Amino acid sequence: MNAYLIALSAIVKREALRFLHQRERFIAALVRPLVWLLVFAAGFRAALGLSIIPPYQTYITYETYIIPGLCGMILLFNGMQSSLSLVYDREMGSMRLLLTAPLPRGWLLFAKLCGSTAISILQVYTFLAVAWAFDIMPDSPWGYLAVLPALLISGLMLGALGLALSSLIRQLENFAGVMNFVIFPMFFLSSALYPLWKMAESSPLLRDICALNPFTHGVELIRFALYLKFEPIALIWVLASTAVFMGLAIWGYDPARGLTRRKG
Amino acid sequence: MTSGLSVENLAYRYGAKEALKGVSFQLEAGEFGALLGPNGAGKSTLFSLLTRLFTAPQGRISIAGHDMGRTPRAALARMGVVFQSSTLDMDLSVKQNLSYFAALHGIAGREAARRSDGALERMNMAERAHERVRDLNGGHRRRTEIARALLHDPAVLLLDEPTVGLDAAARQSITSHVHQLCADQGLTVLWATHLTDEVYDSDHLVLLHQGQILQDGNVGELRSESTLSDHFLNLTGARA
């Protein structure tokens, strides 16, 4: 195994070990989407009528509709939370240790991203298992397998966004603002909770904003994959967004820019 | 070019404030360099540049003959660092922390285990290999960090105020151990501190003040008849 892969596997393993030591984080990550699924969706079910839209071939319940959005929610929160840990790490020093490894900085950041995405995916599958226990499941069990690459790519995109943001944030205090200004708009201005046609009924402008939101495309990629369908436009959007966010992160962590610096 | 550490004409500024102004010094292989300076002298900035957390627009750093600007990865591979604040994972064991670091340097499997055992043995930490870092005292945590920094056989070891928060016995033990490493293994050490009792007469003094080198040379010769503490205060106090 070469040095790149040794470092990658060690960084992913470290993330996993850290995660195992933070059980409360795991439970919190699971409770949030479950509350939405079992409380919010149950209330909305009566208020919201859904027509048959792809990839669905029949009428579906609202709970079924929001499953992919809630998978996206887990990826989104986790991506941001791991960047919160990066800001914290940077202040505490372990990010410093990582960045002094004799490997290209882009690779080290990518490895960190892979670690956090792997943890996110683990959480998504746990959530899907709980939803299954409540009889909310895709048409075919193969959907659980088909959704894996979609979760991976969407997870990398949202993690890369977190990484890019973490390079721009100097202090932990600023992070709360980012949570409010990034996570909530991204989640609510997407197809996670309502289909875009429904959004267009209230405001075409809102619909257009939702259609431009990369998170919408991540959710749609997951939605289609769960029903064994492929959405090429969503995939292109997600891949392009990942490349842009990763580019920003590498730029943000460039030593010549000195964003990791602290006065002393 | 030295096989130890060489810094030439290094300058850095934060906006309008000059943090380092043309800093140059050189440490040969096996030399213990004591970087002394009051708060705000530019020690942390110098350490950040030496570890490539950021890069300087002017000047040159060479680690064991490798230029940090041109071949950063080769330079970083020959360098071990102990940062001022702990960079250990508190919830992982000593051994897990070492394995993680070894992997960042491309060392895995049996080789990583062999090196970890050796490094812990040298620091008298072998029996604590499986303890959680959170359960260790401050002195043992520092020893773990030093063992970790030596895992990949670096030629140059940088330590940024490594004894902060330790009791006198732990401080003395770590200071003498690192001096011994220089003598026995030809390791080049740059040890930033503001505690003069950690510095021996045979050491190489690099005195930094307001971003500039005030003195650079053998401690015993420079301090002459006065104590190092008085010597340091005379130089930095008068110019503050």
Side-chain angles (χ1 to χ4, degrees):
Chain A
M1 203 161 39
N2 73 16
Y4 285 72
L5 294 179
I6 291 173
L8 174 71
S9 66
I11 293 167
V12 172
K13 188 177 161 198
R14 174 179 178 263
E15 290 289 321
L17 282 173
R18 273 162 62 96
F19 180 72
L20 287 177
H21 288 288
Q22 299 175 339
R23 278 187 208 98
E24 59 282 4
R25 193 177 132 195
F26 181 74
I27 291 165
L30 206 57
V31 164
R32 195 180 302 118
L34 284 175
V35 166
W36 279 83
L37 181 67
L38 303 174
V39 180
F40 177 85
F44 250 57
R45 181 186 210 166
L48 202 72
L50 293 177
S51 64
I52 301 173
I53 48 162
Y56 308 110
Q57 289 171 335
T58 177
Y59 284 104
I60 49 159
T61 62
Y62 186 62
E63 285 96 328
T64 305
Y65 178 81
I66 66 165
I67 285 283
L70 296 178
C71 292
M73 177 195 242
I74 296 171
L75 298 175
L76 178 65
F77 270 82
N78 229 51
M80 295 299 143
Q81 201 152 20
S82 62
S83 59
L84 176 99
S85 91
L86 282 180
V87 178
Y88 180 73
D89 271 3
R90 204 164 72 210
E91 298 206 334
M92 293 306 287
S94 69
M95 192 65 184
R96 290 187 141 208
L97 186 79
L98 181 72
L99 295 180
T100 52
L103 288 168
R105 205 165 264 200
W107 178 258
L108 295 169
L109 294 174
F110 174 72
K112 188 96 183 157
L113 191 58
C114 287
S116 65
T117 305
I119 303 301
S120 300
I121 291 176
L122 201 68
Q123 291 179 0
V124 169
Y125 274 106
T126 312
F127 167 71
L128 286 173
V130 176
W132 175 82
F134 281 92
D135 217 20
I136 307 164
M137 58 185 78
D139 296 341
S140 157
W142 289 108
Y144 289 121
L145 188 64
V147 80
L148 181 61
L151 292 173
L152 182 68
I153 305 166
S154 304
L156 287 175
M157 173 183 77
L158 296 166
L161 172 65
L163 207 55
L165 289 172
S166 76
S167 71
L168 303 170
I169 302 164
R170 296 280 176 100
Q171 282 149 359
L172 279 175
E173 296 83 66
N174 296 343
F175 201 83
V178 172
M179 298 290 271
N180 285 331
F181 289 104
V182 177
I183 290 192
F184 292 132
M186 260 194 130
F187 183 67
F188 289 113
L189 290 171
S190 77
S191 59
L193 297 178
Y194 336 95
L196 293 189
W197 67 264
K198 198 87 187 163
M199 198 71 104
E201 279 180 0
S202 60
S203 160
L205 176 67
L206 272 184
R207 194 214 81 93
D208 292 343
I209 294 172
C210 293
L212 290 173
N213 181 357
F215 183 69
T216 296
H217 297 283
V219 169
E220 290 310 303
L221 197 64
I222 294 167
R223 189 187 308 284
F224 276 71
L226 267 175
Y227 286 82
L228 302 176
K229 295 214 166 92
F230 176 56
E231 229 299 43
I233 295 167
L235 178 68
I236 291 167
W237 259 94
V238 172
L239 287 177
S241 306
T242 309
V244 170
F245 296 150
M246 198 60 204
L248 275 173
I250 291 171
W251 177 73
Y253 275 97
D254 181 355
R257 269 179 50 76
L259 271 175
T260 46
R261 74 193 181 187
R262 282 197 300 176
K263 284 193 179 188
Chain B
M1 191 178 284
T2 172
S3 56
L5 167 69
S6 154
V7 173
E8 280 172 46
N9 199 25
L10 206 59
Y12 199 83
R13 55 169 64 237
Y14 297 101
K17 184 182 176 282
E18 275 188 294
L20 292 177
K21 308 166 197 169
V23 168
S24 301
F25 64 91
Q26 193 163 314
L27 297 174
E28 299 299 334
E31 230 179 342
F32 186 105
L35 178 67
L36 274 183
N39 289 336
K43 294 198 298 288
S44 296
T45 303
L46 178 61
F47 259 81
S48 295
L49 293 172
L50 288 172
T51 53
R52 202 173 171 264
L53 286 173
F54 44 95
T55 51
Q58 182 200 310
R60 226 174 129 215
I61 295 166
S62 151
I63 308 279
H66 300 284
D67 188 295
M68 187 63 88
R70 275 183 296 181
T71 52
R73 279 153 58 193
L76 288 171
R78 301 295 290 134
M79 187 177 78
V81 193
V82 176
F83 290 105
Q84 191 175 347
S85 53
S86 170
T87 56
L88 293 167
D89 262 316
M90 291 294 179
D91 292 317
L92 303 189
S93 73
V94 168
K95 195 90 183 257
Q96 283 171 329
N97 268 285
L98 265 60
S99 306
Y100 171 65
F101 179 81
L104 291 181
H105 283 261
I107 307 162
R110 262 184 233 149
E111 177 64 8
R114 189 185 66 76
R115 285 183 187 233
S116 297
D117 292 343
L120 289 173
E121 193 74 50
R122 280 195 297 278
M123 295 302 293
N124 299 322
M125 286 287 294
E127 72 280 9
R128 305 198 181 270
H130 299 288
E131 283 185 29
R132 226 166 47 131
V133 171
R134 196 179 292 283
D135 300 330
L136 300 179
N137 66 31
H140 286 138
R141 286 183 195 173
R142 272 307 186 199
R143 280 168 184 266
T144 305
E145 290 202 278
I146 295 170
R148 185 179 62 178
L150 295 172
L151 209 60
H152 57 300
D153 291 330
V156 176
L157 179 64
L158 307 176
L159 305 103
D160 189 3
E161 302 194 11
T163 58
V164 166
L166 300 187
D167 62 31
R171 224 155 58 76
Q172 203 266 338
S173 154
I174 286 178
T175 308
S176 69
H177 189 89
V178 175
H179 275 91
Q180 203 60 45
L181 285 171
C182 290
D184 295 349
Q185 297 177 16
L187 186 71
T188 305
V189 168
L190 183 67
W191 174 290
T193 185
H194 54 261
L195 301 165
T196 50
D197 62 338
E198 292 176 354
V199 184
Y200 297 3
D201 268 356
S202 55
D203 293 345
H204 184 121
L205 177 69
V206 179
L207 186 54
L208 193 64
H209 185 48
Q210 294 178 347
Q212 285 174 309
I213 300 283
L214 278 192
Q215 279 196 324
D216 174 22
N218 179 272
V219 174
E221 288 169 16
L222 289 173
R223 74 173 178 85
S224 184
E225 296 300 307
S226 57
T227 65
L228 181 58
S229 180
D230 289 340
H231 180 70
F232 174 67
L233 286 174
N234 280 341
L235 282 170
T236 56
R239 294 171 196 240

